Amino acid sequence: MALDFAAGCIGGAAGVLVGHPFDTVKVRLQVQNVDKPLYRGTIHCFQSIIRQESMLGLYKGIGSPMLGLTFINAIVFGVQGNAMRKLGRDTPLNQFLAGASAGAIQCVICCPMELAKTRMQLQGTGEKKSKRKVYKNSVDCLVRIYNKEGIRGINRGMVTTLVRETPGFGVYFLTYDTLTRSLGCEPEDPYMIPKLLFAGGMSGIASWISTYPVDVIKSRLQADGVGGVNRYSGIMDCVRQSVKKEGWRVFTRGLTSTLLRAFPVNATTFATVTLFLMYMRDGEECSIQDSEPQSVQLQPLQPQAQSTSMQAIVQQ
């Protein structure tokens, strides 16, 4: 299990570096004022941020996910692997349940982290150098919110985070399991790494599509209050106001940048985790090829008892 946590940390850091600019664009598009929109779409948002705020504008708020997602991925991969070991049988339902349990548990870290990230990403919008910074960094952001609003304040958006993450991670691991089985990723396969990248990337896309409308509401709730004005009294009020003003298309705001981000981030994360575990466990047991062919799927998560495709890559 220690290897699962270590692999999650490494995979999480790699994923953040690859995908944070797309996340900044996603948040800006999700929460911009529809009456006075600053951005016409994904490409225009990218161009505007770079022109007005320099390349560094795309990396606003990266401190929070760089620290938080490292622990989040460690928790996710560790909990998912341990849950699969407890469940015993490697079935699609168990893959979903193990992923969902991991998604629910990591919300304790994910919600405050994304709150700080969102606030930092919105700070100084359109300014190359912010004239007045409300928050010095992600930690200062959370401290200020806590001092003003208490525990409830730093957990703003927790319900929507739970609703997004629980089924989202279930779909995430189920899709990866299904694709790696179908693609037949084996250690001797010369195309194993491209297959892992494809499976990981598509898993991220499937996960985001399955829960994206909830993410829009979460972002709006966490951004609410920036500038001192609160627009929403709760989740349903946010949904009602958003749909009334912008129609059902509001739930697709920022989806393009999210999917552009989802593929490389999750391809990098899953491939990094899988290869790390494969080589670490290979080193521990001398040679994967010489070990007994336990039916083990190529997952960076747990030893499988009844996998049908990728054999003997991840050993306990």
Side-chain angles (χ1 to χ4, degrees), residues 161-278:
T161 301
L162 274 167
V163 173
R164 183 192 71 176
E165 300 291 80
T166 302
F169 273 97
V171 172
Y172 187 52
F173 284 101
L174 174 60
T175 304
Y176 185 74
D177 174 75
T178 302
L179 288 176
T180 49
R181 288 176 187 272
S182 301
L183 293 171
C185 305
E186 303 289 349
E188 66 276 6
D189 187 347
Y191 300 106
M192 183 185 72
I193 292 178
K195 287 179 179 180
L196 290 178
L197 291 169
F198 177 76
M202 293 306 296
S203 299
I205 287 176
S207 175
W208 273 109
I209 289 176
S210 69
T211 59
Y212 192 75
V214 181
D215 184 69
V216 175
I217 299 303
K218 181 199 72 69
S219 293
R220 292 192 169 205
L221 289 173
Q222 290 186 326
D224 196 31
V226 172
V229 180
N230 290 97
R231 298 170 56 191
Y232 312 117
S233 60
I235 296 172
M236 293 311 300
D237 182 53
C238 181
V239 172
R240 280 194 297 268
Q241 286 195 45
S242 298
V243 172
K244 183 178 179 180
K245 198 167 188 179
E246 304 170 55
W248 292 103
R249 289 185 63 185
V250 67
F251 295 118
T252 63
R253 281 191 176 276
L255 181 59
T256 300
S257 60
T258 299
L259 298 184
L260 287 174
R261 167 182 176 265
F263 191 93
V265 166
N266 293 287
T268 302
T269 299
F270 257 127
T272 300
V273 170
T274 301
L275 293 172
F276 175 83
L277 287 177
M278 185 177 73

Side-chain angles (χ1 to χ4, degrees), residues 54-300:
S54 80
M55 280 293 295
L56 294 178
L58 293 171
Y59 286 91
K60 283 185 175 180
I62 194 173
S64 176
M66 181 59 76
L67 180 62
L69 281 177
T70 298
F71 290 108
I72 285 173
N73 275 279
I75 291 171
V76 166
F77 284 96
V79 170
Q80 203 275 350
N82 197 49
M84 282 301 296
R85 282 186 279 271
K86 296 291 185 184
L87 291 169
R89 298 182 63 242
D90 178 20
T91 65
L93 177 60
N94 285 348
Q95 287 286 347
F96 180 87
L97 292 175
S101 64
I105 290 172
Q106 58 87 43
C107 286
V108 176
I109 297 176
C110 178
C111 182
M113 180 210 76
E114 292 207 344
L115 174 64
K117 174 184 68 68
T118 299
R119 296 292 178 92
M120 291 295 294
Q121 286 172 326
L122 296 175
Q123 183 170 257
T125 298
E127 300 175 358
K128 183 165 289 189
K129 189 173 182 180
S130 300
K131 298 175 182 177
R132 180 178 175 274
K133 289 187 177 181
V134 178
Y135 312 116
K136 298 176 183 177
N137 50 49
S138 298
V139 175
D140 180 61
C141 176
L142 289 176
V143 169
R144 285 176 178 271
I145 294 172
Y146 175 78
N147 289 338
K148 187 176 181 180
E149 305 174 50
I151 291 293
R152 186 175 181 179
I154 63 174
N155 284 298
R156 179 189 293 266
M158 179 61 80
V159 174
T160 47
T161 301
L162 274 167
V163 173
R164 183 192 71 176
E165 300 291 80
T166 302
F169 273 97
V171 172
Y172 187 52
F173 284 101
L174 174 60
T175 304
Y176 185 74
D177 174 75
T178 302
L179 288 176
T180 49
R181 288 176 187 272
S182 301
L183 293 171
C185 305
E186 303 289 349
E188 66 276 6
D189 187 347
Y191 300 106
M192 183 185 72
I193 292 178
K195 287 179 179 180
L196 290 178
L197 291 169
F198 177 76
M202 293 306 296
S203 299
I205 287 176
S207 175
W208 273 109
I209 289 176
S210 69
T211 59
Y212 192 75
V214 181
D215 184 69
V216 175
I217 299 303
K218 181 199 72 69
S219 293
R220 292 192 169 205
L221 289 173
Q222 290 186 326
D224 196 31
V226 172
V229 180
N230 290 97
R231 298 170 56 191
Y232 312 117
S233 60
I235 296 172
M236 293 311 300
D237 182 53
C238 181
V239 172
R240 280 194 297 268
Q241 286 195 45
S242 298
V243 172
K244 183 178 179 180
K245 198 167 188 179
E246 304 170 55
W248 292 103
R249 289 185 63 185
V250 67
F251 295 118
T252 63
R253 281 191 176 276
L255 181 59
T256 300
S257 60
T258 299
L259 298 184
L260 287 174
R261 167 182 176 265
F263 191 93
V265 166
N266 293 287
T268 302
T269 299
F270 257 127
T272 300
V273 170
T274 301
L275 293 172
F276 175 83
L277 287 177
M278 185 177 73
Y279 289 116
M280 288 298 292
R281 286 168 179 168
D282 183 30
E284 287 179 354
E285 301 187 11
C286 299
S287 173
I288 290 176
Q289 285 77 6
D290 293 337
S291 64
E292 285 190 16
Q294 300 175 17
S295 281
V296 179
Q297 184 186 5
L298 176 52
Q299 277 214 15

